[in-house]
Amino acid sequence: MNQSYAYTPLIWLSVLSVLLLLALAVQAWRHRRVAGALPFAIGGLFATFWAAGSVMEFAALDFATKLFWFKAQTIFQLPATVAITCFVLEYAWPGRWLTRRNLAILSIGPLLVIGLTLTNKFHHLMWINFEYENSVIPQLGLAGKLFIIYAFGLGLLNLYVFSQLFVRSPQHRWPVAVMAFGQLVSRTLFTLEMTLVVQIDLPLDMFGLVFTFLMYIIALFGFRLFDPIPLAIQMVITQMRDGMLVLDLEGRLTTMNPAAKIILGTSKERAIGQLAQALLPGYANEVANLLSGIPGSVEICLGTDLKPRYYEMVMTTIKDWREVELGHLLLLRDVTLKKQAQSQIIEQQRSLATLKERWRVARDLHDNIGQVIAFVNTQGQAVRRLLSQGDVQTADAQVARLVEAAREADVDIRESIMALRVSLPENGFFLALEQYLATYEKMYAIQTKLVKPETFDVNFLDALVKTQLLGILQEALTNVRKHANASRVEVKFEDELGWVNVTVIDDGRGFEPSAASEVSSEHFGLRVMTERAEEIGSILSLHSEPGHGTQVRVRVPIKEATQ
């Protein structure tokens, strides 16, 4: 073969194709770890060789040389087409369609083309004959026709995959539309050239190749085709456990992630287009409030009664770079484990508070009732001795003291029973306190009053704190009943940053606070209240003046609102 070449302006389109395709192949190779980038790089390299063969064919002067480069182009045409199909499959669904088995099946066609092209003179399955009219015109054999059909079949497969991705994934619509348009134009130009409908000296297949990869350039740089960040975001959204629902401005669902389908128990096809209120019928008002812009989050419960799941529902407005509202993002965060852990902690705190209260009751019985029993025993022996000596008057006085001690013990026991009945506020702290005050007022004819801010949230107090605080208030009220000789008592709650101040105010006779430091039966309750306050990190203070009543104040820490 006498290879001679000459310059012709027809080569510039092919030269441009070589440079363009090589640049794309290099760019894709640099991002080869991103899904679809490696087959795209390989396809771009094969297409580069294809375009290089076109350059040499146009520059060749004799028919034999042109025929050689025509056959060389054929070797790379189907491999380039197959590689681009691999890119489309991997881009549409990474890791699912481009398996080793499918890759091996797709490789059969290119290997057969290479083999049959190199051995065509022995069987003429690729081409029967060639003619030359300004360019090489082949007469296709059976295998050549089958491979043309196979290439067009891959093109149709690419368009089908693109169409499915266009319908199912709104965020891919623009890049998919651009790439699909490029493939459609390329196939059309190639068909026109093969059927000789348009007979011009310019290579229509090169026009189609250049146009196709120009569309890939737009997708690659305009839509960051191989940028790992959008792909990473897509994978995070797909794999996240929280449900994500994208709503339009009217609150209708446009798309959702797999977790949302599981949470709502519906398919994406059935849910798209429905109002968010219809998807969460039990919480339609809450969803409407979030859509209207009311800030905050809402806790909802889904699932069955036997296996409930708890979710925190949060709404965010989606805006573009101009701050124009485009829709809403509704997140369903699974807080079931957190709620279960919180319930377990609260239950543990209640159990601990119950155990401590039982220990305290046992100690109080030992200190109070034990003292009474010891007093009764001592006085009883003294009465017997006085009666044996005939001192009836003194014995009667001692019996009166015994009766008073028994009466006081009876009152203390009844009061302890009354306190124990409401010491664990299962129905609410203030409800338990109000019930206790009502019973207290009825039993002892002491007027009671509860003052609390309307905005005060008792849930900011831990279970142990609430139990001990209720015990402190009960002990303070007991002291009022025993020692103050009061007609009126007030329990007052006041908010303070990080704390709540609780004060018990009576209008009784008061006393000298310095005497409270003495360990006596009269001030035994002060010691109990102080111990309770120390257990929960509270500060107990007392203010009293003879004739001006008494104020017992306890300063209780509150937990953070986010806990």
Side-chain angles (χ1 to χ4, degrees), residues 10 83 108 110 156 165 191 260 292 449 523:
L10 295 177
I108 294 175
L156 293 176
L165 190 59
T191 302
S292 64
K449 182 180 180 182
H523 301 299

Side-chain angles (χ1 to χ4, degrees), residues 357-358 361 415-424 436 474:
E357 195 63 26
R358 288 178 179 177
V361 169
E415 195 168 73
S416 297
I417 293 173
M418 179 181 69
L420 288 174
R421 286 177 177 175
V422 294
S423 60
L424 294 178
Y436 182 82
Q474 290 170 346

Side-chain angles (χ1 to χ4, degrees), residues 17-32 37-48 213 217 220 226:
S17 301
V18 171
L19 298 176
L20 178 65
L21 295 170
L22 186 60
L24 281 176
V26 171
Q27 180 69 10
W29 178 258
R30 292 175 57 187
H31 299 83
R32 58 188 178 277
L38 182 58
F40 187 89
I42 295 173
L45 186 62
F46 284 144
T48 301
F213 279 90
I217 288 176
L220 183 62
F226 294 138

Side-chain angles (χ1 to χ4, degrees), residues 172-183:
H172 289 96
R173 284 179 178 172
W174 275 110
V176 162
V178 169
M179 291 186 290
F181 180 65
Q183 289 220 4

Side-chain angles (χ1 to χ4, degrees), residues 338-356:
K338 178 181 177 182
K339 191 172 183 64
Q340 291 174 348
Q342 289 176 341
S343 299
Q344 186 176 6
I345 291 173
I346 292 174
E347 188 61 33
Q348 290 173 350
Q349 289 178 340
R350 286 177 177 173
S351 299
L352 179 61
T354 301
L355 290 174
K356 287 188 175 183

Side-chain angles (χ1 to χ4, degrees), residues 406-521:
R407 188 193 66 78
E408 186 65 28
D410 177 66
V411 173
D412 287 342
I413 291 174
R414 290 177 181 275
E415 195 168 73
S416 297
I417 293 173
M418 179 181 69
L420 288 174
R421 286 177 177 175
V422 294
S423 60
L424 294 178
E426 296 180 359
N427 296 327
F429 176 84
F430 282 119
L431 179 59
L433 180 58
E434 289 170 356
Q435 291 175 348
Y436 182 82
L437 291 176
T439 305
Y440 180 91
E441 183 174 331
K442 182 178 180 181
M443 289 182 63
Y444 308 123
I446 300 176
Q447 184 180 355
T448 62
K449 182 180 180 182
L450 176 61
V451 179
K452 58 180 174 50
E454 294 182 358
T455 58
F456 179 70
D457 188 355
V458 76
N459 291 322
F460 288 166
L461 301 178
D462 290 321
L464 180 60
V465 173
K466 287 188 283 189
T467 300
Q468 295 294 9
L469 178 58
L470 190 60
I472 292 172
L473 296 178
Q474 290 170 346
E475 193 65 45
L477 292 168
T478 298
N479 286 345
V480 172
R481 189 264 305 171
K482 283 184 176 181
H483 312 298
N485 192 26
S487 61
R488 186 176 181 276
V489 63
E490 179 181 294
V491 180
K492 186 177 182 180
F493 286 77
E494 295 175 301
D495 276 329
E496 189 178 336
L497 184 62
W499 298 81
V500 56
N501 293 321
V502 187
T503 310
V504 178
I505 308 169
D506 68 67
D507 62 351
R509 63 189 180 186
F511 65 95
E512 187 61 43
S514 59
S517 59
E518 301 177 6
V519 180
S520 63
S521 60

Side-chain angles (χ1 to χ4, degrees), residues 203-329:
L204 292 181
D205 59 340
M206 280 297 104
F207 269 116
L209 189 63
V210 170
F211 186 83
T212 299
F213 279 90
L214 279 176
M215 295 299 101
Y216 286 136
I217 288 176
I218 295 174
L220 183 62
F221 295 101
F223 299 98
R224 298 187 298 174
L225 195 65
F226 294 138
D227 190 341
I229 295 178
L231 293 176
I233 294 175
Q234 180 183 354
M235 292 183 65
V236 168
I237 292 174
T238 302
Q239 298 176 8
M240 66 188 297
R241 295 179 59 188
D242 297 336
M244 187 194 77
L245 293 84
V246 180
L247 312 174
D248 60 18
L249 291 175
E250 296 180 355
R252 297 185 182 276
L253 181 70
T254 60
T255 187
M256 61 181 177
N257 68 340
K261 293 191 292 184
I262 297 174
I263 293 172
L264 299 178
T266 184
S267 65
K268 187 175 181 180
E269 292 73 15
R270 292 178 57 187
I272 286 180
Q274 294 191 39
L275 290 171
Q277 294 92 322
L279 297 173
L280 296 164
Y283 302 93
N285 292 334
E286 289 81 355
V287 173
N289 290 336
L290 292 175
L291 285 171
S292 64
I294 297 178
S297 60
V298 179
E299 185 176 291
I300 63 175
C301 179
L302 302 175
T304 62
D305 294 337
L306 298 178
K307 299 183 72 173
R309 303 293 300 182
Y310 297 93
Y311 299 93
E312 182 184 18
M313 188 165 55
V314 181
M315 187 81 70
T316 304
T317 301
I318 303 173
K319 299 181 180 179
D320 64 5
W321 60 275
R322 299 166 299 174
E323 292 297 315
V324 176
E325 294 187 3
L326 303 178
H328 305 279
L329 180 65

